Amino acid sequence: MSLLRVENLHRHLGEGDTRCHALRGVGFTIEGGRTYAIAGHSGSGKSTLLYLIGLLDIPDEGRIWVGDRETSRLTDDERTAVRNEHMGFVFQFHFLLKEFTALENVMLPMRKLGRLSEEAMRAKASDLLTAVGLGDKTRRLGTQLSGGEQQRVAIARALANDPSLILADEPTGNLDHTNADRVFALLSDIAHQRGQALLMVSHNPDLANRCDHVFRMQDGVILA
Amino acid sequence: MPPSLLIALRFLGARKRAMLMSLTGIVFGVAFFVITQAQTAGFEAYFIKTILGVNGMVRIEDRIQSTRAITATEGSSFSIAVEGSVKYIPGIQHPKVVIDALNGFAEVTAASPVIRGNATLIANFREYDTKPYGIELDTFLNVSDLDTQIIDGSIKAFGESPYALIVGARIAKRMNLQVGDSVLLDGPGEPQRYRVAAIFETGIDQVDRERVYLHLSAIRTLLNKPTGASFIQINLLDPSLAPALAPRIEQAVSHSTMAWQEREKTWLQVFSVLRISSALTISTIIFISGLGMFNTLVMIVVDKTREIAILRSMGYTRADISRIFMLQGGIVVVVGVVLGCAAAALGTYTLSHIPIRIRGIFASDHFVVLWDPWHYVAAAVIATIVVLIASYFPSRRAARLEPGAVIRGSSS
């Protein structure tokens, strides 16, 4: 069974004269343990598609299955619960909560899920930060970390609840070349090692081509 | 710790100065609310204690003459009651009968007959118009606080001599009287000479400058009133029973009967208005703090839009987000109320020790306060309602944010 299935997604954005048809019947499936890139020019509908898949937005038409669960009829709280349990997000801007340390930021999704004890959450968050190379900086606030380090904390946070799907929107877009390479390699390795799927939106054709599969988008449709 | 509470605690620091201002406002609002209520309620309670100690809880005075009825014809059973024709005959002709009738009221703990009149006090070559009150000492002490009002001399000395009298402090000062002095009282009956056994002070100016207490037997001669009484002063188990009991007594004994609440209505209304007015005035501090809290939380919501979006993306529901901001208000109000109540207790204690000489409607040499837990409850409830309303709208705004739109906007 596929990890994610998308069928005939349509989405309009804007109102009145500015209304445009951003997605025009997009459909594909995603398997675990593989990396996928959504590539295309600005305005091609990449991010719109990613947010629909991440259940952060609702399609005008079409359906999304997460595992065997169809999500179009779910309530906001149910969709939020699916995100909490099955999805991890990495955005272009790391969006760390600056009042929290790196460790505490990683623990936030676990606290919401509520399946682990405080000690277990700390241990797991510490392991994740070690896995992304920040084992010695767990107690630092977000403001005390470099951009690359903050993005790695965001990756650790995305992995906190062992999601089956990692959704990344331009995760390297705000990083220099070296850090971009490191972050992509990290995401790719984690996806392959843990059997998780990585779906990444990227402007960068080099990074997109390093994924197992590339969805090329243009004017709201997938070309190949 | 629930994650919403943890996040709320950390977010509180986002606008420290503004939040601290709101908190300070709530602390001061709660403290001032309690202090002003303690003070106004304290003065009111002290006033009530004073007037009850002087004039009693209920007074039975003039006899009510039966309502006249016009009979249609001689011997006819048809008659028409004439409204508004009630007549009051001054005084109580048979006080003992009335007092005996009061035994049927379980709420009545004591009753004492009093004869009141006018007489001129002559001493030290001066004359002074007074209102002598003839009392039965034993029973009158059960319906008044006369024994505690004595500032010089003694009740015992008054009780031991039939020709002793107790004078008000203002009279004693005006006439330069001291305990042991001899005075002449000239009334409608025979002028008589008395010895000052004690001086009393109630703090009520009118009482202290015109009232003198004599024995009942002595005043009968002075005023030429061999029988009856001017009124009967009654004490009850509980002062609050008076308004309900007075009409029942009036009906039972056919004498006009007035509860202290009716008698002192004017002053009680003044105190009530003062208390409400001060509560409203001080509440504005809390309202303004609530407004500050609203502004601060709105600013935090704006500041934290991206953080809210990321929390939503990682699985926090709209209710969680709303709770984070409501909890911020909750934390501020809890801290504000606790500190405010502590400051109020300290302020009230300090105020009660500030020396101030008050005479006129009661006698006190310091601020009078009433320690009432309901003042603290009222302040806490007002602060809680104001802050929760102030927190509700920003929290709703935060909960309504669409994470996709926010993140897309931030990324573009």
Side-chain angles (χ1 to χ4, degrees):
Chain A
M1 187 180 62
S2 57
L3 198 147
L4 179 89
R5 185 152 62 95
V6 173
E7 193 178 278
N8 191 34
L9 280 189
H10 285 266
R11 181 72 171 111
H12 293 82
L13 295 176
E15 297 288 333
D17 294 342
T18 60
R19 186 173 167 83
C20 69
H21 200 166
L23 290 181
R24 303 160 184 261
V26 173
F28 56 82
T29 57
I30 281 178
E31 306 294 333
R34 291 173 63 81
T35 56
Y36 298 84
I38 305 173
H41 296 294
S42 259
S44 60
K46 307 184 298 291
S47 292
T48 303
L49 176 60
L50 191 80
Y51 294 131
L52 286 175
I53 292 169
L55 309 182
L56 292 169
D57 197 2
I58 299 170
D60 297 325
E61 197 182 325
R63 293 196 285 183
I64 301 165
W65 280 265
V66 178
D68 58 352
R69 194 169 188 188
E70 205 276 302
T71 61
S72 65
R73 292 177 187 276
L74 298 182
T75 64
D76 189 70
D77 281 0
E78 287 168 336
R79 292 188 305 131
T80 306
V82 171
R83 281 202 299 272
N84 182 232
E85 195 172 352
H86 299 290
M87 295 177 186
F89 289 90
V90 182
F91 299 104
Q92 181 179 358
F93 298 98
H94 42 77
F95 294 142
L96 297 186
L97 272 62
K98 64 182 180 187
E99 295 82 5
F100 290 78
T101 64
L103 190 81
E104 289 169 332
N105 266 288
V106 178
M107 288 167 72
L108 282 171
M110 298 186 227
R111 286 189 188 282
K112 177 56 195 169
L113 193 60
R115 285 186 185 158
L116 299 176
S117 66
E118 180 76 16
E119 292 72 27
M121 284 192 286
R122 283 188 179 281
K124 186 175 180 184
S126 185
D127 289 347
L128 285 168
L129 284 170
T130 303
V132 298
L134 293 172
D136 57 339
K137 294 179 177 173
T138 57
R139 293 185 184 280
R140 291 204 186 171
L141 295 171
T143 49
Q144 296 167 330
L145 297 168
S146 70
E149 288 171 335
Q150 290 181 43
Q151 195 60 302
R152 281 189 277 160
V153 174
I155 291 169
R157 185 177 63 189
L159 300 169
N161 287 341
D162 298 320
S164 49
L165 179 62
I166 302 165
L167 299 171
D169 186 8
E170 303 280 5
T172 61
N174 204 33
L175 301 175
D176 59 45
H177 185 72
T178 312
N179 271 313
D181 268 356
R182 286 183 65 182
V183 165
F184 176 77
L186 187 63
L187 282 169
S188 178
D189 292 348
I190 286 169
H192 287 125
Q193 286 165 15
R194 300 184 180 217
Q196 293 160 317
L198 169 68
L199 179 61
M200 180 179 76
V201 164
S202 181
H203 273 111
N204 186 332
D206 292 340
L207 286 183
N209 288 333
R210 286 163 66 183
C211 288
D212 300 329
H213 187 86
V214 181
F215 299 114
R216 296 195 189 281
M217 288 196 71
Q218 188 176 323
D219 297 331
V221 292
I222 290 176
L223 298 176
Chain B
M1 185 187 294
S4 299
L5 180 58
L6 179 70
I7 297 167
L9 280 168
R10 297 292 176 86
F11 276 10
L12 271 176
R15 290 264 176 181
K16 270 186 204 151
R17 196 172 295 173
M19 201 60 90
L20 211 61
M21 287 298 290
S22 301
L23 177 66
T24 307
I26 290 162
V27 171
F28 276 104
V30 167
F32 284 141
F33 182 94
V34 173
I35 289 169
T36 53
Q37 289 302 295
Q39 188 189 325
T40 50
F43 280 127
E44 183 179 11
Y46 199 71
F47 167 74
I48 291 169
K49 182 181 179 301
T50 302
I51 57 111
L52 292 183
V54 173
N55 293 329
M57 295 181 195
V58 175
R59 268 192 186 183
I60 300 173
E61 295 195 58
D62 306 333
R63 183 162 68 87
I64 300 171
Q65 194 176 45
S66 303
T67 306
R68 279 189 297 129
I70 301 169
T71 307
T73 55
E74 190 80 23
S76 167
S77 61
F78 180 75
S79 64
I80 301 165
V82 180
E83 294 296 333
S85 63
V86 174
K87 268 192 174 177
Y88 294 97
I89 298 168
I92 300 165
Q93 204 170 355
H94 303 290
K96 191 171 181 319
V97 174
V98 173
I99 289 172
D100 285 345
L102 291 174
N103 290 335
F105 292 89
E107 300 92 335
V108 176
T109 57
S112 182
V114 179
I115 294 176
R116 179 179 50 197
N118 295 295
T120 304
L121 188 147
I122 303 162
N124 299 328
F125 308 104
R126 279 184 262 180
E127 293 185 356
Y128 190 89
D129 290 334
T130 64
K131 289 190 186 302
Y133 276 55
I135 58 171
E136 268 181 9
L137 183 61
D138 292 345
T139 57
F140 192 73
L141 289 178
N142 293 330
V143 297
S144 74
D145 293 333
L146 181 59
D147 49 346
T148 61
Q149 291 158 1
I150 300 299
I151 57 170
D152 196 8
S154 74
I155 279 281
K156 190 167 172 251
F158 175 73
E160 285 169 352
S161 167
Y163 290 99
L165 100 175
I166 304 172
V167 295
R170 295 285 298 273
I171 299 172
K173 190 176 180 188
R174 184 77 66 87
M175 298 293 285
N176 198 22
L177 293 177
Q178 295 191 352
V179 172
D181 285 355
S182 175
V183 299
L184 187 71
L185 274 179
D186 187 9
E190 293 175 23
Q192 286 186 310
R193 187 157 288 280
Y194 301 88
R195 192 163 296 280
V196 177
I199 297 169
F200 73 89
E201 184 180 46
T202 63
I204 303 172
D205 189 60
Q206 193 179 6
V207 173
D208 293 341
R209 68 180 155 82
E210 61 183 29
R211 194 178 293 190
V212 296
Y213 289 107
L214 310 174
H215 288 287
L216 204 57
S217 53
I219 205 167
R220 288 197 190 284
T221 310
L222 177 71
L223 300 179
N224 197 20
K225 283 187 178 173
T227 59
S230 302
F231 61 87
I232 293 172
Q233 192 158 310
I234 295 173
N235 199 23
L236 306 176
L237 283 171
D238 180 350
S240 65
L241 298 173
L245 193 63
R248 286 171 52 208
I249 293 176
E250 183 171 295
Q251 199 170 21
V253 301
S254 294
H255 282 72
S256 73
T257 305
M258 191 179 278
W260 66 271
Q261 289 92 337
E262 177 67 19
R263 190 180 67 218
E264 309 295 343
K265 195 163 61 181
T266 308
W267 275 111
L268 292 177
Q269 278 178 349
V270 168
F271 280 114
S272 178
V273 168
L274 271 176
R275 206 169 61 240
I276 294 168
S277 159
S278 65
L280 288 175
T281 308
I282 299 302
S283 292
T284 55
I285 298 177
I286 299 175
F287 290 136
I288 290 167
S289 304
L291 209 59
M293 185 81 199
F294 172 81
N295 284 333
T296 307
L297 284 174
V298 167
M299 285 190 287
I300 292 177
V301 171
V302 172
D303 283 353
K304 299 291 180 191
T305 300
R306 294 195 315 178
E307 283 84 348
I308 292 165
I310 198 71
L311 285 168
R312 293 277 289 121
S313 77
M314 68 174 75
Y316 285 80
T317 62
R318 291 187 195 280
D320 291 326
I321 300 300
S322 175
R323 201 172 298 122
I324 288 168
F325 288 90
M326 290 301 288
L327 279 170
Q328 288 183 66
I331 292 163
V332 169
V333 82
V334 166
V335 174
V337 165
V338 168
L339 293 179
C341 287
L346 188 68
T348 305
Y349 178 80
T350 308
L351 193 70
S352 68
H353 285 75
I354 293 176
I356 178 172
R357 185 178 161 80
I358 305 168
R359 297 293 186 277
I361 55 170
F362 50 74
S364 178
D365 294 322
H366 53 80
F367 268 96
V368 184
V369 297
L370 180 72
W371 293 89
D372 186 345
W374 286 107
H375 295 156
Y376 293 80
V377 172
V381 167
I382 292 171
T384 304
I385 291 171
V386 168
V387 173
L388 290 187
I389 290 172
S391 309
Y392 172 73
F393 294 100
S395 77
R396 200 173 64 161
R397 177 175 170 170
R400 282 181 173 178
L401 285 174
E402 287 300 338
V406 172
I407 294 166
R408 189 183 291 135
S410 300
S411 302
S412 59

